[in-house]
Amino acid sequence: MKWFDYQAPRTLGEAVEAMTLHPTARALAGGTDLLVQMRAGRRTPDLIVDIKKIPELNQLHYEPGMGLTLGAAVPCYRIYNDTTVSRAYPSLAEVANIIGGTQIQGRASIGGNLCNAAPSADAIPLLIALGATCRILGPGGERTLPVDQFCVAPGQNVLATGELLVSIQIPQSPASSAARYLRFIPRNEMDIAVAGAGVYVVMENGHIQSAKIALSSVAPTPLPVDASTLAGQPADEATVHKAGELAAAAAKPITDMRGTADYRRHLCAVLTRRALASAIAAAKESK
Amino acid sequence: MERKAHVQTTINGEPAEFLCEPRQSLLECLRDILNLTGTKEGCNDGNCGACTVMMDGRIVTSCLVLGVEAQGSQITTIEGIARGNELHPLQKAFLEEAALQCGICTPGFIVAAKALLDQEPHPTEDRIRWWLANNLCRCTGYDKIVKAVQKAAAEVNL
Ligand SMILES: Cc1cc2nc3c(=O)[nH]c(=O)nc-3n(C[C@H](O)[C@H](O)[C@H](O)COP(=O)(O)OP(=O)(O)OC[C@H]3O[C@@H](n4cnc5c(N)ncnc54)[C@H](O)[C@@H]3O)c2cc1C
Ligand code: FES
Ligand code: FES
């Protein structure tokens, strides 16, 4: 690795100042993307700003009625080990439990997954489906942005020089709603998604009141799918099938060593159907 | 400007300090600076688990931790697993069950498995396999490793 300096500020203000003074600086959360990329020479920051000592980035707070504040540096294990959070957002706990293995989950954060902006990032489609927003702080102050506007290209996000992702806000899920993310990998664990589908559904009297779908690994950035035509439809097999078709039609996959474009499009349909059917079943159970 | 960092930490229950470059991984610091060579390097990118150590109560791949991040933390390596001159039940079980061949993966597996047994004394086979998914072994085919962990679990609970 090329030489760099290291700072571990204890306040947001110090972190933003350091990142502003050093335009090539990178924030370090779990390092499970960043250190791999630096070792491969793909990123060459002159300063690493370790953000794990900043209280706001370690927040994991669920407020019934308000939703979840997920500090950008909170490692995955804290999410699924927190019974309140995993009860309120089982799909989030589930995704935290499939990113890498135990050792990776001891370090990797959902904020890092989002900032790294990989097309294959497992948490991002779920965050989009859940309607999550990003709280961003920079030298010019604070702004918020929906997660579906955060990634701009493979490995690139909207953050300007000096800006930090502080937290991800996930709204309170209404009664009779549920979310699910499913991915396809050739192994049982520890692999990069060939394709993935995140789904969120709100039910009303056996009908879908609203639904959201987003996909991974089938476009340059995690891909929201327009699912507005599902609103008002009965929650039956035909509707689930239609959701799969919407996802397959929206996908813009490429052929690479992990799979062909056709195969990926097929996977989008299958994964979306399974995720939606499972979310519908869970939403019927939820109060 | 290229100055080394002074890191103070606790390794296997003993205070430890070292000078390192910010770009050196915790794995490099353990092996090359502190001569704690029990922790192994396999892939150097987080996939194989050979470099697993315990850091502040969690297992991590030390190739993906900077040495400077160890400041103020509690670290346990494979050298800290035996109880004095007595091997830990996991170490005994790995020997008795022939859960190693070349042995490069073994320190990582033992540190990872110990973390599991410390928090869950009765893991199912599925749970053991899932927990150890971040550890690769090219020799044993895993079954003997899983059996060794099950045997140690039975023993730890005697
Ligand atoms: C063995 C292995 C298995 C993996 N498996 C998976 C998997 O199954 N699914 C998956 O999606 N990913 C996987 N990954 C990738 C990685 O673990 C995840 O993307 C993880 O969530 C990244 O989080 P982190 O905290 O480690 O990020 P870091 O590496 O610390 O940061 C990632 C990027 O985001 C930037 N950044 C981080 N936090 C902020 C912030 N608050 N503000 C601004 N910028 C920030 C960093 O500068 C860096 O560029 C795997 C990685 C490894 C090594
Ligand atoms: S050497 Fe660290 S995971 Fe392989
Ligand atoms: S014993 Fe050789 S890699 Fe596991």
Side-chain angles (χ1 to χ4, degrees):
Chain A
M1 263 191 257
K2 193 179 116 329
W3 182 283
F4 56 81
D5 287 322
Y6 170 86
Q7 289 180 17
R10 293 189 181 262
T11 66
L12 273 175
E14 288 167 348
V16 167
E17 191 184 321
M19 303 274 299
T20 309
L21 285 172
H22 297 82
T24 73
R26 300 283 328 167
L28 173 74
T32 60
D33 279 316
L34 183 60
L35 297 180
V36 175
Q37 291 163 9
M38 287 169 61
R39 204 163 273 146
R42 284 201 281 141
R43 291 206 193 270
T44 50
D46 65 350
L47 174 68
I48 289 295
V49 179
D50 187 345
I51 53 178
K52 292 189 291 295
K53 298 201 162 58
I54 304 170
E56 289 86 343
L57 280 96
N58 286 309
Q59 266 192 310
L60 180 62
H61 181 66
Y62 173 63
E63 183 86 42
M66 297 296 291
L68 181 73
T69 300
L70 170 59
V74 171
C76 288
Y77 82 88
R78 277 188 56 202
I79 298 171
Y80 58 71
N81 277 358
D82 187 311
T83 42
T84 311
V85 173
S86 21
R87 211 168 292 142
Y89 301 93
S91 54
L92 183 69
E94 202 175 50
V95 96
N97 201 21
I98 63 164
I99 293 179
T102 317
Q103 287 89 323
I104 296 297
Q105 290 156 18
R107 298 262 298 166
S109 62
I110 301 295
N113 195 255
L114 177 54
C115 289
N116 190 58
S120 59
D122 285 315
I124 307 179
L126 180 69
L127 294 175
I128 294 175
L130 286 168
T133 53
C134 310
R135 228 193 103 202
I136 298 166
L137 186 71
E142 197 181 309
R143 59 176 173 138
T144 56
L145 197 72
V147 167
D148 63 10
Q149 291 170 28
F150 188 80
C151 302
V152 293
Q156 263 181 50
N157 61 44
V158 292
L159 296 181
T161 298
E163 280 191 323
L164 271 182
L165 176 67
V166 177
S167 61
I168 298 164
Q169 307 292 139
I170 306 183
Q172 171 73 47
S173 302
S176 303
S177 70
R180 192 86 207 271
Y181 172 77
L182 294 177
R183 68 175 176 183
F184 177 76
I185 55 174
R187 305 171 63 201
N188 290 327
E189 70 289 290
M190 294 280 296
D191 213 336
I192 296 172
V194 181
V199 162
Y200 171 74
V201 67
V202 186
M203 300 283 295
E204 197 178 42
N205 303 326
H207 282 61
I208 292 177
Q209 191 207 71
S210 67
K212 284 202 197 167
I213 304 170
L215 306 171
S216 53
S217 288
V218 292
T221 54
L223 184 72
V225 175
D226 180 3
S228 52
T229 53
L230 299 179
Q233 300 294 313
D236 58 13
E237 225 179 292
T239 303
V240 168
H241 190 82
K242 186 172 165 213
E245 285 180 342
L246 288 175
K252 306 179 189 99
I254 56 164
T255 294
D256 67 11
M257 64 171 184
R258 294 186 193 281
T260 62
D262 282 350
Y263 184 51
R264 286 193 155 106
R265 198 169 285 114
H266 175 71
L267 281 173
C268 286
V270 174
L271 293 168
T272 300
R273 286 203 301 265
R274 288 184 188 165
L276 181 58
S278 151
I280 288 172
K284 285 180 177 162
E285 303 273 298
S286 88
K287 298 266 150 35
Chain B
M1 278 276 287
E2 302 196 351
R3 289 186 47 206
K4 288 197 176 181
H6 178 215
V7 178
Q8 287 176 299
T9 177
T10 305
I11 301 180
N12 300 326
E14 302 279 330
E17 50 186 315
F18 56 88
L19 286 175
C20 72
E21 299 181 4
R23 63 179 164 179
Q24 285 183 292
S25 67
L26 176 59
L27 174 62
E28 285 171 74
C29 295
L30 290 170
R31 289 183 55 85
D32 303 343
I33 302 176
L34 297 164
N35 287 322
L36 288 167
T37 54
T39 306
K40 302 303 178 196
E41 177 183 322
C43 61
N44 218 16
D45 64 15
N47 274 281
C48 78
C51 65
T52 300
V53 302
M54 190 89 159
M55 184 174 182
D56 297 328
R58 307 301 309 175
I59 47 169
V60 298
T61 48
S62 59
C63 67
L64 293 187
V65 178
L66 296 175
V68 285
E69 290 183 77
Q71 173 64 37
S73 69
Q74 301 274 341
I75 290 167
T76 307
T77 68
I78 184 68
E79 287 89 348
I81 301 291
R83 300 157 173 177
N85 288 327
E86 181 78 3
L87 289 182
H88 185 275
L90 270 165
Q91 292 171 306
K92 278 189 217 157
F94 267 63
L95 287 170
E96 286 160 7
E97 292 298 307
L100 64 150
Q101 291 179 31
C102 79
I104 194 162
C105 68
T106 315
F109 267 104
I110 289 181
V111 172
K114 179 173 182 292
L116 174 63
L117 297 189
D118 284 350
Q119 70 172 58
E120 288 170 47
H122 304 286
T124 61
E125 179 181 341
D126 265 8
R127 179 70 178 141
I128 294 171
R129 288 185 187 272
W130 181 260
W131 181 270
L132 294 176
N134 212 153
N135 292 79
L136 299 184
C137 175
R138 294 289 84 154
C139 303
T140 64
Y142 300 102
D143 279 354
K144 292 182 170 191
I145 293 176
V146 175
K147 286 210 177 81
V149 177
Q150 288 173 311
K151 181 171 180 175
E155 209 152 295
V156 165
N157 295 313
L158 276 184

